[in-house]
Amino acid sequence: MSDIQTWALVFVAASFALYIGIAWRSRVKETKGFFVAEQNIPAVANGAAVAADWMSAASFISMAGLIAFLGSDGSVYLMGWTGGFVLLALLLAPYLRKWGKFTVPEFVGDRFSETVRSVAAVVAIIVSFTYVVGQMAGGGIVFSRFLGVEQAAGVAIAAAVIFAYAVFGGMKGITWTQVAQYTVMITAYLIPAWAVAHTMTGFPVPQISFGEILAELNRIGAEFGLPVYTEAFTARPQLDVFLVTLSLMIGTAGLPHVIIRFYTTKTVRGARYSALWALVFIGLLYTTAPAVGAFTKLNLLSGVQGAAVDALPSWVQNWMATGLVTVGEGVDTIGTVSNDPTSGADLIINNDILVLASPEIAGLPAPIVGLVAAGGLAAAMSTAAGLLLVISSSVSHDLYFRYVDHHASESRRLLVSRIAMGLAVLVAIYFGINPPAFVAQVVAFAFGLAASTFFPILLLGIFWKRTNAAGAVSGMLAGLAFTSTYMIYTLEVFGTQSNEHILGISPEGIGAIGAVVNLVVTVIVSLATKPPSHEIQEMVENIRYPAAVRRTEPTA
């Protein structure tokens, strides 16, 4: 076992023991503790848990890699993902917390009808399964590289640990585990970034110092035939830039596993402050990611430029063993580098390795490399746990309790939740080992589905009393069908051939148009059918305004 593998094993084992220990101390015996952590989580802690829940393998592992190869075009991810929390704080979180039950489908059911609740529960399961696949695949990448474990075995180990702490404590255990995971994650991200920044510029604040190396990065990138790093919007049409940013924003605001975190606070005010703290904690990583991308790309290109294949740096050989770095057939000397497997470049680098490989590429010591491995697993596992809880609660609380056994006791509902989570883990393991696409594509699929299904219905359900059940279910199904059809058409999933983007609109951006389809269909059908009852319209008034405010007359 190498030094890197030894240190990775130490940090990973210690962090796993910490997570399970926290979950054991937080174990619950009631559904309120299992689903919403007894609605007793302080805003700061909930903000850290939201950040960990949100910053998935895509944020920790993939985002800096995307920015490294996209350059300024990668800003769409920074703007979209952080902007989504502003929408959550202003438009959804406080109102859903004031309503104050357990799940997103439960709100939809009370607001519209049991039919819409069932559709929302199924959509929540689809979105969560889609997203959790990327987390499992990301965990497998870490295990296969740093612990010398086959990817399949790595996915299974990560899933087993997640299952253990999620089953013990439900949302309560997951919340406090996510606080610990955020601490591991941000420590593992910032320490290498500070070290590399100090090594390359003499100033250890990467957000400031990485500007000094951009001219050199542009120069060496041009020699490799890569786009200019600092030139904006060279890889995407501006229409797609707008749509991707909007899709990521409203997709963030519509993700069920993020929304349910705001049900756990003590008060409505706590829900707002949770969003504020989440933005602070997320900002620490998101403002660092462009610097990590730039530093790592410059070190990478400098290290392989003109190098003979048999004299490539050791990190290349290490990552080639995982299949995430490949050298073209018949190549003797590296002259071109790309992240596109179809480009024909001499050296192909998968986006997903840049953060994990950054300490090795920069020549940092083995303990820091091992710490990054633990951080990558923390990112994947924290999000996966939240997603699995959504699946579990949708099956148990929104489907089983409503349609199978309406009189089920608390203990039976908890048992069903835990069985549902176990089955979800098994399915997630399978697709984590055999993902339908690479991590970034799978995550894009989840965001598009959330943007085109949940966000419009929640927005209209809170702010337009005339929205009715027929409109809501029609809009959700229309948005789901439109978005999923386009994504399957344009993404290479399940072995199908990808097709050209229509009007230059990428699958990452189609969710915004799907949301518009949802809104239009919902409004048209709602206006063409019977309005909601007086009681439903009064409920909407009570959610939006304090009780002391005089209610208006119901809309006819």
Side-chain angles (χ1 to χ4, degrees):
M1 182 177 284
S2 67
D3 287 346
I4 288 177
Q5 289 177 328
T6 300
W7 280 105
L9 180 61
V10 168
F11 282 116
V12 169
S15 62
F16 280 11
L18 175 64
Y19 305 152
I20 293 176
I22 291 172
W24 179 256
R25 290 180 61 86
S26 305
R27 59 193 184 278
V28 296
K29 296 181 180 180
E30 298 178 351
T31 53
K32 188 174 183 180
F34 192 88
F35 292 132
V36 291
E38 299 170 351
Q39 294 184 326
N40 196 34
I41 303 298
V44 175
N46 199 53
V50 169
D53 206 353
W54 164 243
M55 290 193 297
S56 63
S59 291
F60 188 99
I61 296 175
S62 298
M63 186 171 63
L66 285 168
I67 294 172
F69 284 100
L70 290 174
S72 295
D73 286 6
S75 62
V76 296
Y77 298 99
L78 302 174
M79 294 185 294
W81 283 339
T82 52
F85 276 92
V86 178
L87 292 182
L88 259 177
L90 295 176
L91 299 179
L92 300 181
Y95 304 105
L96 293 175
R97 176 60 188 87
K98 184 179 179 183
W99 170 77
K101 292 192 181 176
F102 286 0
T103 68
V104 175
E106 192 172 13
F107 167 77
V108 172
D110 285 358
R111 172 62 177 86
F112 299 113
S113 72
E114 286 302 308
T115 299
V116 186
R117 176 182 178 138
S118 301
V119 173
V122 172
V123 172
I125 292 170
I126 293 171
V127 170
S128 299
F129 263 128
T130 304
Y131 206 162
V132 81
V133 166
Q135 312 316 307
M136 294 300 183
I141 290 170
V142 175
F143 270 103
S144 63
R145 164 62 190 95
F146 293 110
L147 296 174
V149 176
E150 291 292 329
Q151 183 160 347
V155 169
I157 294 170
V161 175
I162 294 168
F163 178 72
Y165 69 71
V167 164
F168 282 147
M171 177 60 86
K172 184 178 179 181
I174 287 172
T175 297
W176 293 109
T177 301
Q178 285 174 336
V179 173
Q181 287 169 329
Y182 174 78
T183 304
V184 172
M185 185 194 319
I186 201 66
T187 302
Y189 205 87
L190 293 181
I191 287 178
W194 292 337
V196 172
H198 184 268
T199 300
M200 296 184 69
T201 68
F203 189 67
V205 182
Q207 295 92 332
I208 298 173
S209 60
F210 87 106
E212 297 182 18
I213 58 101
L214 293 182
E216 174 66 12
L217 179 59
N218 287 337
R219 182 195 66 77
I220 194 170
E223 293 180 6
F224 278 91
L226 296 171
V228 177
Y229 186 86
T230 55
E231 187 173 329
F233 309 135
T234 58
R236 296 180 186 270
Q238 290 203 21
L239 172 63
D240 193 47
V241 170
F242 171 77
L243 291 176
V244 171
T245 304
L246 180 59
S247 182
L248 294 175
M249 286 179 67
I250 62 179
T252 297
L255 283 171
H257 77 286
V258 175
I259 294 174
I260 63 171
R261 288 242 50 95
F262 295 97
Y263 289 154
T264 66
T265 59
K266 297 179 179 180
T267 62
V268 173
R269 183 174 181 174
R272 290 188 185 276
Y273 274 95
S274 289
L276 172 63
W277 280 111
L279 277 170
V280 171
F281 293 134
I282 291 168
L284 287 175
L285 190 146
Y286 274 41
T287 56
T288 309
V292 171
F295 283 130
T296 305
K297 186 179 181 182
L298 179 58
N299 279 330
L300 186 159
L301 297 179
S302 301
V304 302
Q305 186 177 31
V309 171
D310 57 1
L312 286 170
S314 60
W315 70 264
V316 176
Q317 305 297 330
N318 294 336
W319 282 97
M320 283 179 66
T322 68
L324 298 175
V325 173
T326 57
V327 176
E329 290 188 19
V331 173
D332 296 320
T333 302
I334 303 300
T336 55
V337 175
S338 176
N339 64 333
D340 181 3
T342 64
S343 65
D346 299 336
L347 185 65
I348 305 295
I349 308 290
N350 188 296
N351 292 329
D352 294 343
I353 78 157
L354 255 69
V355 169
L356 299 175
S358 178
E360 289 180 88
I361 295 172
L364 297 181
I368 293 181
V369 181
L371 179 62
V372 170
L377 282 173
M381 293 169 66
S382 60
T383 302
L387 293 164
L388 290 169
L389 186 67
V390 168
I391 296 168
S392 171
S393 61
S394 295
V395 171
S396 171
H397 192 67
D398 296 309
L399 297 177
Y400 176 83
F401 182 61
R402 290 285 170 171
Y403 300 109
V404 179
D405 186 358
H406 187 65
H407 301 289
S409 64
E410 291 241 335
S411 59
R412 176 168 285 276
R413 289 165 64 189
L414 281 174
L415 177 63
V416 172
S417 297
R418 285 163 171 153
I419 292 173
M421 188 173 291
L423 295 175
V425 165
L426 294 178
V427 175
I429 289 173
Y430 174 79
F431 283 109
I433 296 169
N434 305 286
F438 66 82
V439 172
Q441 288 181 331
V442 172
V443 170
F445 204 101
F447 274 91
L449 294 180
S452 61
T453 54
F454 281 116
F455 181 77
I457 296 307
L458 293 173
L459 186 69
L460 291 174
I462 293 169
F463 292 101
W464 190 40
K465 293 185 291 183
R466 186 62 176 77
T467 316
N468 62 16
V473 73
S474 300
M476 287 186 73
L477 292 176
L480 176 66
F482 175 84
T483 303
S484 58
T485 299
Y486 186 85
M487 285 190 163
I488 291 171
Y489 176 78
T490 53
L491 289 174
E492 189 175 341
V493 294
F494 298 114
T496 61
Q497 182 62 43
S498 60
N499 295 285
E500 291 294 323
H501 299 167
I502 299 173
L503 300 178
I505 299 172
S506 66
E508 292 92 341
I510 198 62
I513 298 179
V516 174
V517 170
N518 185 334
L519 283 167
V520 170
V521 170
T522 302
V523 169
I524 291 173
V525 175
S526 293
L527 291 174
T529 51
K530 185 179 178 180
S533 67
H534 173 83
E535 291 76 17
I536 293 296
Q537 295 190 45
E538 190 174 61
M539 184 190 85
V540 176
E541 286 286 321
N542 287 333
I543 290 174
R544 291 214 318 255
Y545 302 111
V549 175
R550 188 172 68 86
R551 301 187 183 101
T552 58
E553 291 299 316
T555 303

